[in-house]
Amino acid sequence: MFERIDHVGFIVDDIDSALTVYGETFELELVHRAVHDEAGLDIALLQVGESRIELLAPISPDSVFADAKRGMHHVAYGVADIDAALELLQAREVELVDTSPRVGVLDSRIAFLHPHAAAGVLTELVQAAPA
């Protein structure tokens, strides 16, 4: 079902400071940056080999992550067919946050599994947008 680690998400206080560390100090390539107004987040994706790091910085007190602990937030696995993966997980009675996919960064389709389903780790499924 899982094909690869798509990305690991980190919540940070300040995205520009985090980009200095990951981009300049660690020499990771910034591949995407966007503000998600609805969630109150500034988001950056940096390439690490075949995977990526996702930096998430709250930009308002109403942000979905305003009060969240800083540091590692989730692990995202790439899947070829997110609908089939969710159907299989539901058949296996895995606890899901999302029972159907929603739009993610770079027009991907995403869905989250509840942390209880993965030994306490928030897990995201990602189906990349068609090229």
Side-chain angles (χ1 to χ4, degrees), residues 3-119:
E3 296 183 330
R4 69 194 182 290
I5 294 177
D6 185 83
H7 68 271
V8 178
F10 296 93
I11 300 175
V12 298
D13 283 322
D14 180 278
I15 201 127
D16 291 318
S17 295
L19 284 172
T20 297
V21 172
Y22 286 93
E24 295 175 21
T25 305
F26 298 159
E27 298 181 351
L28 301 182
E29 177 189 1
L30 177 65
V31 294
H32 179 75
R33 183 167 178 189
V35 172
H36 189 292
D37 288 321
E38 186 176 302
L41 293 172
D42 194 353
I43 302 170
L45 285 175
L46 298 111
Q47 198 70 38
V48 183
E50 298 295 316
S51 299
R52 294 175 287 196
I53 299 273
E54 180 180 53
L55 303 174
L56 306 155
I59 57 173
S60 74
D62 298 331
S63 168
V64 294
F65 297 133
D67 296 325
K69 182 179 175 185
R70 300 314 189 242
M72 190 179 128
H73 182 258
H74 65 276
V75 176
Y77 296 95
V79 297
D81 183 341
I82 196 167
D83 296 300
L86 287 171
E87 185 177 315
L88 178 61
L89 291 168
Q90 287 176 321
R92 293 179 178 170
E93 298 182 356
V94 172
E95 188 174 356
L96 304 173
V97 172
D98 300 304
T99 56
S100 60
R102 52 187 154 125
V103 177
V105 173
L106 298 173
D107 293 324
S108 60
R109 298 178 72 214
I110 66 169
F112 283 89
L113 284 60
H114 194 282
H116 293 132

